[in-house]
Amino acid sequence: MWSYAVLSKLIDYETAKRAMHNQIFAPGLSDVLTWLIPLIELLIIGLLLFKPTQRLGLKLSAGLLTLFIFYIAIVMNAAFGRVPCSCGGIISELSYGEHLVFNVVFLLLALASLWLTHRSERKTVPMLNERRSTARKIE
């Protein structure tokens, strides 16, 4: 998901920039977010690629999705007096409600992955400790 999101922004940077400027943010913040969000998405992709950093990547992914979900919920509740255009690419074809569901599904996947990773690591650590104590007894 992050790969698609960042590629769609980078391939059509001008459209992504216009979409960000159509949001409720101040122009200066929109300029920063136009390049900051793809950088964060690239960072998340990089972290998810390597086992030692996957947990951090999942946490950042869940955090960014949570921010997006809150923003969409605020927009859907007409807090800004207008509904800014949605994201680019295929996602732009979704309504805000569908986009919210899309993000919630990916948030649940990230949280499930974190839980499974934690559970797997908890089972692995005692086995490593067991092996170490067995190795000491053999010596």
Side-chain angles (χ1 to χ4, degrees), residues 5-79:
V6 74
L7 280 174
S8 69
K9 289 178 186 96
L10 295 177
I11 288 172
D12 196 357
Y13 181 77
E14 287 305 315
T15 299
K17 186 176 180 178
R18 277 193 307 276
M20 186 61 71
H21 278 272
N22 188 43
Q23 302 302 316
I24 53 87
F25 310 116
L29 181 58
S30 292
D31 287 335
V32 171
L33 291 175
T34 299
W35 59 264
L36 183 62
I37 290 174
L39 280 177
I40 292 170
E41 292 168 345
L42 284 169
L43 173 66
I44 290 170
I45 292 166
L47 291 170
L48 290 172
L49 288 175
F50 302 101
K51 186 74 174 158
T53 58
Q54 280 179 347
R55 180 183 284 192
L56 179 57
L58 288 169
K59 287 179 181 179
L60 289 176
S61 185
L64 190 57
L65 283 164
T66 300
L67 289 173
F68 290 163
I69 288 167
F70 278 124
Y71 180 73
I72 292 168
I74 291 168
V75 167
M76 289 177 66
N77 284 305

Side-chain angles (χ1 to χ4, degrees), residues 69-109:
I69 288 167
F70 278 124
Y71 180 73
I72 292 168
I74 291 168
V75 167
M76 289 177 66
N77 284 305
F80 307 123
R82 68 179 180 91
V83 177
C85 68
S86 63
C87 298
I90 296 170
I91 303 297
S92 66
E93 301 300 318
L94 300 177
S95 69
Y96 269 102
E98 292 166 334
H99 197 164
L100 184 68
V101 170
F102 177 87
N103 284 356
V104 167
V105 167
F106 277 95
L107 174 61
L108 292 174
L109 288 172

